[in-house]
């Protein structure tokens, strides 16, 4: 299988390379932000919009899920948040004329960057069977097409309802209600590709799949370990929290195969002092080999057990289960095996241990570097073992901190967007609405693709996102999507998923976070939940990108009426008119949301959801205690002459949305088809810096996948490892290569061969 870059792209991918930087944010970041924002929004709109980001009377930044401090800055956004806002609040428009000028074959030949740059979609568009072009369609007709196809299915389980994590609580609640009234739990979401491994590991061990720390905890920690995360690019506001923690005396260990600029030094653009000098963040950099984290934490656990008085015995006795089995496994940890798995030295691990033992309050933060491997779930369980040993859960300044991606991905799950819902959740839903939800599990992202591929799923509906762009095994996935009878995308901007369609297709344009949302009862707001379980309101203030847009809750409500008709007793019309009525229902179905509307009114900054381990050291697991686990240690084995490739984000992208072709901190400019390789590994493979290579992934069933024409960049990554950007490299990730238990695509461990070639 070979995947070439789309040929119709006018933008040349011609990377230039300079040495990587050692500090993040500061003045260049501010200048860069304004340039990008003003190109899309103009000067006045830029000022007016950016001043509302993350303010109590404004909208939640559509960038990441990092929380806002209670005391806000005037400019409570980061460089990359501003890019996300500019991308949505752009003045560019994609009208029906655009679709008349660009047939499907043309759209399919464009890069994701080009598609995104065309602007906001203004009208519902329909691609009839066999047609070459999308044509404008009324909303009524669009919903009639959906109803026709959904009603024609032989089982509700032939439909798939995907959600990307930007969707509000209100829209997500309605979507899962609709799916269950319709009769399926097929609610795959972006979380399946993202923090599913965290949720799986945490649910089992501490009884709740969410992080246990607040911003205040970070500020109070003695030691913060940041593993498998690049906050300088993906959660820049986190750097302010790390800076504050450091100022209060915390130490930071970074565990990463790459030396990421943001973790080295942070020049806070919000303080004059920070702008000039900047604060060093990392005290100890553990340049780990990809996939070595479970081995590292296992050995640290053994070393803690071997140290007199290091274990919090009272906590272990009162609050945990499975200690004996765990200690037996941990005591067997082996230095030599750990050094081989991690690529670290004995001295580095001993230094880490000293810092761990000196800390009374430890937090571990992580993101995709820990979640997207075959052994991600046992890796995160080992992190939990590590924290439990010293009683670091459920006390100030300590805990687990999975740092979420999309701005409301955590809230969507809370609202019931999950293919394997808890029976108690369905019971509450059924009682509230007088329905009978299906109890059998639905399909996650990977299983949805398999079902489309095998003809078992026939209608695909997406509430946001870019399904074919974000999922693995691009060629398999695109072929699968083309087999669908109908594909529907609720979207703000064009992307690859609009060009790779089923037999019929619909694009339903919707309001974004920045748009004002007015319904029959007046101006509406929506709510979101951040990475630390804080729920708050989000209000857009810009005139909508077009008068033809419907909000996401309105789209679900109208779809439900068209599809379910008299079968449904749910007041969909009322929900569309007044979102407060949706929140009243959420309050009665979802734990922690009692008096939802009243609490929002009383707390403009939002309120925190309950979290039993954090709040009362209570662990709602099967054993009623926090569970130690004792999985065998795993790490990827890489055959001779091959490298282990991770697929990651550049500084100029938001997942599949490409803002530009630079990755400033890593010294890359003007192109994305680069592969970062350690100079000695590259030399051993006979590849000079600047040489071009094909990336060929080798899967255990003997199949090969190829991404052609990547410029080799000599880069100080861990030995034996390589890195290249997603989504260009998704083609290399086999659909079957997933994490055990969570089924998350193993996008951070792809065995590749590098073959000398030329620019694609
Ligand atoms: N500007 C911007 N912000 C974003 C996004 C975006 O695309 N752009 N995406 C959002 C989303 S949905 C998400 S999920 C988050 C993603 O946030 P991140 O997880 O920070 O994103 P990645 O670029 O995938 O970076 C993975 C990091 O893990 C490291 N890593 C890779 N493999 C390993 C390993 O085996 N062990 C260790 N210890 N480290 C490893 C990589 O070197 C890299 O630093 O960001 C969110 N915020
Ligand atoms: N190889 C590889 N693959 C990965 C990853 C990786 O690290 N490596 N990361 C994975 C992760 S962590 C994630 S979260 C997924 C992301 O998967 P998705 O969430 O599906 O992808 P995005 O690129 O974030 O989706 C962008 C699209 O969302 C639409 N959109 C934007 N705002 C709105 C809105 O307000 N409403 C609606 N309805 N639509 C909107 C726009 O049309 C835009 O084109 O990708 C995963 N895929
Ligand atoms: Mo994500």
């Amino acid at each position: 299988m070979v995947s070439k870059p789309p040929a119709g792209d006018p933008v040349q991918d011609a990377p230039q390379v300079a040495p990587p930087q050692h500090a993040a944010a500061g003045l260049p970041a501010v200048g860069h932000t304004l340039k990008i924002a003003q190109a899309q929004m103009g000067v006045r709109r830029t000022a007016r919009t950016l001043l509302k980001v993350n303010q109590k009377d404004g909208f939640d930044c559509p960038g990441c899920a990092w929380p806002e401090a209670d005391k806000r800055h005037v400019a409570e956004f980061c460089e990359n948040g501003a890019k996300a806002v500019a991308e949505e609040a752009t003045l560019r428009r994609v009208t029906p004329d655009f679709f008349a000028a660009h047939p499907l074959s043309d759209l399919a030949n464009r890069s994701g960057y080009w598609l995104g740059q065309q602007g906001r979609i203004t009208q519902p568009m329909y691609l009839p069977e066999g047609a070459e072009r999308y044509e404008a369609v009324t909303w009524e007709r669009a919903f009639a097409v959906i109803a026709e196809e959904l009603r024609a299915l032989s089982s509700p389980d032939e439909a798939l309802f995907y959600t990307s994590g930007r969707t509000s609580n209100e829209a997500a609640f309605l979507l899962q209600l609709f799916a269950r009234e319709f009769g399926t739990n097929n609610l795959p979401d972006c979380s399946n590709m993202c923090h599913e491994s965290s949720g799986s590991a945490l649910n089992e061990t501490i009884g709740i799949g969410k992080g246990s720390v607040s911003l205040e905890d970070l500020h109070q920690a003695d030691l913060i370990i940041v593993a498998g995360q690049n906050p300088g690019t993906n959660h820049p506001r986190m750097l302010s929290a790390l800076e504050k923690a450091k100022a209060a005396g915390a130490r930071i260990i970074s565990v990463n195969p790459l030396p990421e600029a943001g973790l080295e030094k942070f020049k806070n653009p919000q303080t004059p002092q920070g702008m000039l000098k900047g604060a060093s963040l990392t005290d100890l950099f553990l340049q780990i080999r990809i996939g070595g984290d479970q081995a590292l934490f296992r050995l640290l656990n053994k070393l803690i057990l071997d140290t007199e008085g290091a274990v919090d015995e009272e906590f272990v006795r009162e609050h945990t289960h499975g200690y004996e089995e765990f200690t037996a496994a941990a005591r067997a940890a082996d230095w030599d095996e750990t050094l081989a798995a991690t690529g670290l030295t004995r001295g580095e691990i001993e230094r880490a241990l000293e810092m761990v033992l000196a800390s009374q309050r430890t937090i571990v933060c992580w993101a995709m570097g820990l979640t997207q491997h075959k052994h991600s779930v046992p890796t995160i369980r080992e992190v939990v073992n590590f924290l439990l040993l010293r009683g670091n859960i459920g006390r100030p300044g300590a805990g687990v901190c999975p740092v979420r991606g999309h701005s409301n991905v955590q809230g969507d799950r809370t609202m019931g967007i999950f293919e394997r819902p808890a029976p108690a959740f369905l019971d509450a839903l059924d009682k509230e609405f007088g329905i009978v939800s299906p109890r059998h599990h639905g399909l996650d992202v990977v299983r949805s693709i398999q079902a489309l591929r095998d003809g078992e799923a026939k209608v695909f509906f997406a509430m946001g996102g870019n399904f074919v762009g974000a999922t693995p095994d691009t060629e398999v996935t695109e072929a699968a999507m083309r087999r669908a009878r109908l594909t529907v995308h609720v979207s703000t901007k064009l992307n690859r998923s609009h060009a790779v369609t089923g037999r019929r297709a619909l694009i339903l344009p919707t309001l974004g976070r920045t748009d004002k949302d007015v319904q029959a009862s007046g101006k509406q707001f929506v709510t979101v939940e951040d990475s630390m379980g804080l729920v708050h309101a989000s209000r857009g203030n810009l005139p909508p990108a077009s008068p033809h847009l419907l909000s996401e809750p309105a789209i679900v409500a109208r779809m439900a009426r068209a599809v379910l008709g008299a079968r449904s007793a749910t007041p969909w019309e009322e929900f569309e008119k007044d979102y407060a009525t949706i929140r009243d229902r959420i309050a009665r179905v979802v734990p922690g949301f009692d008096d939802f509307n009243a609490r929002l009114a009383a707390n403009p900054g939002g309120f925190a959801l309950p979290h039993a381990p954090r709040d009362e050291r209570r662990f709602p697991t099967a054993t009623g205690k926090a569970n130690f686990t004792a999985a065998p240690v795993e790490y990827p084995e890489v055959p001779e002459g091959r490298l282990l490739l991770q697929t990651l984000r550049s500084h100029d992208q938001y997942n599949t949305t490409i803002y530009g072709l630079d990755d400033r901190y890593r010294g890359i400019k003007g192109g994305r088809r680069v592969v970062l390789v350690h100079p000695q590994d590259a030399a051993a493979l006979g590849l000079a810096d600047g040489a071009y290579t094909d990336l060929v992934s080798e899967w255990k069933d003997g199949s090969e996948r190829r991404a052609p024409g990547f410029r080799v960049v000599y880069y100080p990554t861990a030995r034996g490892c390589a890195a290249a950007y997603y989504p260009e490299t998704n083609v290399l990730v086999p659909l079957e290569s997933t994490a055990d238990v969570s089924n998350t695509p193993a996008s951070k461990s792809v065995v590749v061969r590098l073959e000398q070639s030329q620019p694609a």
Side-chain angles (χ1 to χ4, degrees), residues 15-20 666-668 673-679 682 687-693 710-717 722-723 725 754:
Q16 293 159 17
V17 179
R666 298 197 185 108
I668 315 286
R673 290 185 89 82
V674 291
V675 57
L676 314 183
V677 189
H678 191 283
L687 291 165
D689 185 77
Y692 275 81
T693 176
F710 283 70
R711 184 200 188 281
V712 173
V713 176
Y714 279 19
Y715 202 87
T717 178
Y725 304 132
L754 271 53

Side-chain angles (χ1 to χ4, degrees), residues 62 88 121 162-167 190-191 193-195 368 372 405-406 409 462-467 469-472 490-496 498 508 510-513 552 647-649 654-657 725-727 729-730 733 745 747-748:
E88 180 178 300
I121 307 165
Y162 173 71
T163 307
S164 163
R166 224 178 273 198
T167 296
C190 69
S191 194
M193 300 180 266
C194 184
H195 267 293
M368 298 304 100
Q372 298 175 333
H406 267 300
V409 61
M463 182 53 89
N466 177 5
F467 191 84
T471 49
V490 180
S491 309
T492 49
K493 308 276 300 269
L494 273 186
N495 62 47
R496 179 81 188 156
H498 305 117
L508 307 181
T510 192
L511 298 175
R513 285 275 170 81
E552 292 183 350
T647 63
L648 80 181
R649 292 153 173 82
Y654 193 92
N655 300 335
T656 69
T657 298
Y725 304 132
Y726 124 83
T729 46
N730 288 25
V733 185
S747 311
K748 295 284 189 281

Side-chain angles (χ1 to χ4, degrees), residues 299-516:
L299 182 66
L300 285 172
N301 287 339
K302 170 195 164 72
L303 299 175
I304 293 171
L305 287 169
D306 289 349
T307 307
E308 183 76 32
V311 174
D312 183 341
E313 282 173 14
E314 194 189 324
F315 176 83
V316 167
R317 208 171 38 242
E318 298 210 346
H319 296 290
T320 70
H321 175 269
Y323 185 63
E324 299 304 318
E325 213 188 321
F326 158 70
T327 50
R331 287 224 155 85
D334 177 67
W335 267 104
D336 289 338
E337 190 187 21
T338 310
L339 299 185
T342 60
L344 299 171
T345 65
R346 196 175 173 118
E348 287 169 328
I349 296 180
E350 282 169 350
R351 178 89 188 90
L353 178 70
E354 275 168 35
M355 292 167 73
V356 169
L357 294 175
S359 164
Q360 294 309 310
R361 300 152 176 249
T362 300
I363 289 175
V364 183
C365 302
W366 72 88
M368 298 304 100
L370 255 51
T371 66
Q372 298 175 333
H373 301 284
K374 176 178 183 293
H375 60 306
S376 282
V377 175
T379 297
I380 297 163
R381 286 184 192 147
E382 200 61 33
V383 169
V384 174
N385 289 335
F386 168 80
L387 291 168
L388 292 178
L389 265 184
R390 289 176 52 77
N392 276 313
I393 292 192
R395 70 165 181 232
V400 283
C401 183
V403 182
R404 303 278 161 183
H406 267 300
S407 51
N408 197 39
V409 61
Q410 186 159 315
D412 292 344
R413 188 53 70 82
T414 307
M415 291 299 118
I417 299 289
F418 193 23
E419 74 284 354
R420 291 173 284 129
F425 179 89
L426 296 181
D427 292 344
L429 193 70
D430 288 1
K431 187 161 162 254
E432 177 65 23
F433 292 97
I435 60 172
V436 185
S437 297
R439 289 307 195 264
H440 59 281
H441 288 173
L443 302 174
D444 62 11
V445 161
V446 167
R447 293 193 180 94
S448 292
I449 297 167
Q450 289 161 340
L452 287 163
R453 178 193 65 192
D454 301 339
E456 286 158 14
K458 300 188 170 99
V459 173
F460 175 86
F461 174 96
M463 182 53 89
N466 177 5
F467 191 84
V468 301
T471 49
D473 225 347
T474 312
E475 309 216 340
V476 173
T477 300
E478 293 195 349
M481 195 56 84
R482 290 193 160 106
R483 290 200 66 187
R485 280 196 203 151
L486 173 69
T487 50
V488 185
H489 286 91
V490 180
S491 309
T492 49
K493 308 276 300 269
L494 273 186
N495 62 47
R496 179 81 188 156
S497 297
H498 305 117
V500 179
T501 70
R503 210 169 60 184
R504 303 206 263 175
L506 285 162
I507 302 175
L508 307 181
T510 192
L511 298 175
R513 285 275 170 81
T514 52
D515 297 308
K516 196 185 289 179

Side-chain angles (χ1 to χ4, degrees), residues 743-759:
N743 210 27
T744 295
S747 311
K748 295 284 189 281
S749 27
V750 189
V751 174
V752 290
R753 182 173 84 227
L754 271 53
E755 279 184 10
Q756 188 114 25
S757 68
Q758 54 223 277

